[in-house]
Amino acid sequence: MDRRRLPIGIQTFRKIREDHAYYVDKTPYIERLLKGGTHHFLSRPRRFGKSLFLDTLKELFEGNAELFEGLAICDKWDWSVRYPVVRVSFGSGHFASEGDLRAEVGDRLREIEDAAGISDPPAASDAGRLRHLIRTLHGSTGQRVVVLIDEYDKPILDALNAPDVARANRDYLRGLYAVVKDCDAHIRFSFITGVSKFSKVSLFSGLNNLTDITLDPEFSGICGYTESDLETVFAPELPGLDRDEIREWYNGYSWLGEEKVYNPFDILLLFRSREFKAHWMETGSPTFLVETLSRRQVRSVDLDAMRGTEELLTSFDVDEIAPEALLFQTGYLTIQGKETRGARTSYRLGYPNREVQLGLNESLLRHWVRNDTARTRNTDRLYDLLEASDLPGLEAVFRSFFASIPYEWYTNNDIANFEGYYASVFYSYFAALGLDVAAEESTNRGRLDMAVRFEDRVYIFEFKVVEQAGEGSAMAQLQDRGYADKYRAPGVTVHLVGVEFSSESRNVVAFEHAAA
């Protein structure tokens, strides 16, 4: 198989097909959608291929058969019928100021009206214009209309730092999206995509016939690449790359399907650069997410073991954003397991892969330690000390960690659990190095604070705040509870590290280490 063009950043189905670029056939999912109702909703993180899938739908319904040659749906579709398509995308606009959204929607509707030959729409409101547009297209073509809305939530997400604008945008969109239900008799098919899912009460109250396929196992692979896709479609790109390393860095996203998927953007940039790095994370800083986690005092040590119900994970609103929902919907956590207790189902969340764990913790450190030079120096020094197994040197670098955090950070944040905060700083430094870090792992003697695996060594940490601790040191607790037993194995050296902090001095005041 010959190597083809990598479709990096290409969201146009026609361009991919005409340029003979790599394409993973997603048309079998279209067949399933058409059998499952009229109105559909899908939430996926950014750069997962949602826009390309919508563009594929557009070309299919417009009857462009030549683009689908060789694809699964080609001989199963009636190419003699062409449907009018109304496609609205909010991807290119910015909606943080009052009036931005109305102006953008007005421009989009005008473009579609001009293409349809509607020169003077009678309705004054944008919802009325959209309603008139759909009914007119149905009447003039004799075919019901296909409605495709991409990045439906961007006008709200852009304005989350300006809640009044975000609420106004939400209320405006509620009226616009209600038209889809009002025009049901004129609509052949509709598909709405975005990063998040706002609750039906706040945004989709009029669309009670909307089928949400976000957590439907049948559609878990509708966006993203599977292991099979890499081995078949992208087989020419794999020589010279370690398959296990590809999985560790980029696989792991789950929406309850049997097979986990890769972020397409990551894989395409890996094939181009041949370098393992945080490709997806580098395209956008999770500033709002990090600020929300800090404001809610969510500890980084808890991120890899969060839980949530389906209702919690798949909806939020401007005035109520649960950290679990925000982390899951934006792709920083994914579903690791499902548990049912009686009639209640909950999901265990965790990092999908090394890239996200490394990148998110680096962003958290950047928020805590505003001195980039100090943060980089500490991180590099930490790795060198671990590599040299220099435990005495670790104390000095740990002190530098906390000395580099501005005093103002403490005065602006009410940290009730200082022990958890200090542990979070440790955890994020290790995780930002891409190391194997486990927080609060269970043993038969209790829960240890943190374990770090590095080459043939395991470092087990116990943290205490002297103003809150009872009798006994952190090291004594490590030794008394036998936490090291779980990690003993041939060729593995286990180190115990007891670290004690002072909430008054805001730094390490005791540091003990011993071989287990």
Side-chain angles (χ1 to χ4, degrees):
M1 185 185 298
D2 295 331
R3 297 181 71 175
R4 294 189 172 198
R5 179 181 178 183
L6 296 168
I8 298 171
I10 302 177
Q11 301 175 353
T12 306
F13 179 70
R14 175 177 292 276
K15 187 173 183 180
I16 287 178
R17 298 295 285 170
E18 290 181 346
D19 289 355
H20 303 287
Y22 289 111
Y23 175 70
V24 173
D25 187 1
K26 298 294 185 179
T27 61
Y29 291 103
I30 299 177
E31 297 179 65
R32 299 177 200 174
L33 286 170
L34 293 171
K35 294 176 182 177
T38 301
H39 307 289
H40 300 84
F41 171 85
L42 175 71
S43 167
R44 286 292 186 270
R46 60 186 175 86
R47 294 191 177 273
F48 252 85
K50 303 184 296 296
S51 297
L52 176 59
F53 187 76
L54 253 70
D55 199 62
T56 306
L57 287 168
K58 170 185 174 295
E59 297 289 354
L60 181 78
F61 281 105
E62 288 181 344
N64 297 313
E66 71 281 1
L67 301 178
F68 292 84
E69 291 182 8
L71 300 184
I73 204 170
C74 184
D75 58 356
K76 302 174 183 177
W77 186 255
D78 184 356
W79 298 105
S80 65
V81 181
R82 293 174 178 265
Y83 298 90
V85 176
V86 172
R87 181 180 180 182
V88 178
S89 174
F90 294 106
S92 61
H94 189 66
F95 309 96
S97 300
E98 185 178 355
D100 289 347
L101 178 57
R102 291 179 183 274
E104 182 74 11
V105 171
D107 289 343
R108 291 283 181 267
L109 291 176
R110 191 174 302 109
E111 291 172 2
I112 301 172
E113 289 164 349
D114 289 346
I118 302 173
S119 57
D120 188 21
S125 70
D126 290 332
R129 287 176 65 184
L130 178 59
R131 185 180 301 108
H132 179 261
L133 174 63
I134 291 172
R135 291 174 175 173
T136 299
L137 286 172
H138 185 193
S140 63
T141 65
Q143 299 293 340
R144 287 180 294 163
V145 180
V146 173
V147 178
L148 307 175
I149 301 175
D150 196 13
E151 299 199 48
Y152 86 99
D153 51 347
K154 191 172 183 294
I156 306 173
L157 299 179
D158 279 358
L160 285 178
N161 286 322
D164 289 343
V165 176
R167 292 187 197 99
N169 288 353
R170 176 198 62 193
D171 295 342
Y172 171 86
L173 290 172
R174 181 193 296 135
L176 200 67
Y177 298 148
V179 172
V180 177
K181 179 184 178 182
D182 292 344
C183 292
D184 181 66
H186 304 279
I187 293 178
R188 167 69 175 86
F189 179 87
S190 74
F191 199 79
I192 300 173
T193 75
V195 168
S196 59
K197 182 188 173 185
F198 284 83
S199 66
K200 285 190 176 183
V201 173
S202 68
L203 193 58
F204 292 126
S205 57
L207 257 178
N208 52 14
N209 56 345
L210 189 67
T211 301
D212 182 5
I213 62 171
T214 298
L215 291 184
D216 187 335
E218 187 178 5
F219 295 97
S220 62
I222 194 170
C223 292
Y225 297 153
T226 66
E227 200 74 50
S228 176
D229 294 331
L230 264 64
E231 294 171 355
T232 54
V233 177
F234 295 102
E237 303 294 331
L238 295 177
L241 294 172
D242 186 296
R243 293 291 285 110
D244 291 334
E245 198 168 5
I246 295 176
R247 293 187 195 95
E248 182 181 348
W249 268 88
Y250 305 119
N251 196 13
Y253 291 94
S254 172
W255 288 275
L256 300 187
E258 293 183 4
E259 192 171 15
K260 295 185 178 182
V261 300
Y262 293 86
N263 181 324
F265 188 75
D266 270 328
I267 291 301
L268 295 176
L269 286 187
L270 169 66
F271 290 155
R272 183 179 71 179
S273 68
R274 318 300 288 182
E275 291 184 40
F276 290 94
K277 55 190 298 189
H279 299 294
W280 178 69
M281 290 289 300
E282 290 177 354
T283 63
S285 174
T287 303
F288 179 80
L289 171 62
V290 169
E291 290 176 348
T292 300
L293 295 178
S294 179
R295 187 170 61 254
R296 299 288 187 88
Q297 298 184 15
V298 177
R299 310 181 310 166
S300 65
V301 293
D302 296 331
L303 293 179
D304 204 27
M306 300 186 89
R307 292 177 179 271
T309 62
E310 180 172 348
E311 181 181 8
L312 175 66
L313 297 185
T314 59
S315 66
F316 68 89
D317 200 2
V318 175
D319 302 308
E320 187 176 350
I321 303 175
E324 296 87 346
L326 186 59
L327 286 158
F328 171 67
Q329 294 182 21
T330 52
Y332 293 97
L333 295 183
T334 195
I335 295 174
Q336 302 286 11
K338 177 180 178 181
E339 296 180 1
T340 301
R341 291 184 174 89
R344 186 176 181 273
T345 298
S346 64
Y347 301 100
R348 180 171 51 84
L349 304 178
Y351 296 113
N353 49 49
R354 178 192 288 187
E355 180 204 18
V356 175
Q357 182 180 26
L358 184 156
L360 180 55
N361 281 280
E362 178 68 27
S363 295
L364 289 167
L365 286 176
R366 192 177 295 113
H367 180 72
W368 295 329
V369 184
R370 302 301 170 89
N371 186 328
D372 290 343
T373 301
R375 186 184 69 253
T376 302
R377 181 178 62 247
N378 288 337
T379 302
D380 291 345
R381 181 64 176 151
L382 174 60
Y383 188 91
D384 292 341
L385 290 167
L386 288 173
E387 193 170 41
S389 197
D390 183 354
L391 285 165
L394 287 177
E395 180 177 3
V397 78
F398 289 156
R399 290 182 184 275
S400 296
F401 288 176
F402 295 100
S404 61
I405 296 176
Y407 174 80
E408 291 78 11
W409 196 96
Y410 295 94
T411 59
N412 294 331
N413 289 274
D414 179 22
I415 302 296
N417 184 351
F418 273 97
E419 182 180 311
Y421 161 66
Y422 289 126
S424 289
V425 175
F426 269 66
Y427 177 92
S428 291
Y429 263 109
F430 286 117
L433 283 169
L435 301 181
D436 184 355
V437 189
E440 299 187 351
E441 278 198 322
S442 296
T443 73
N444 59 356
R445 303 288 296 277
R447 297 176 70 88
L448 58 86
D449 285 339
M450 190 170 72
V452 180
R453 295 171 176 84
F454 184 87
E455 296 177 348
D456 59 351
R457 283 151 277 165
V458 177
Y459 298 87
I460 300 176
F461 291 87
E462 183 70 21
F463 304 116
K464 278 195 173 185
V465 175
V466 292
E467 290 87 355
Q468 300 173 353
E471 295 183 2
S473 66
M475 176 58 73
Q477 182 169 325
L478 279 171
Q479 294 172 328
D480 292 346
R481 297 188 180 180
Y483 286 153
D485 295 344
K486 177 178 179 177
Y487 301 94
R488 299 186 193 280
V492 175
T493 303
V494 181
H495 297 279
L496 304 179
V497 185
V499 185
E500 297 181 9
F501 310 97
S502 168
S503 57
E504 295 178 0
S505 66
R506 302 182 182 89
N507 213 314
V508 175
V509 294
F511 183 93
E512 295 181 89
H513 55 88

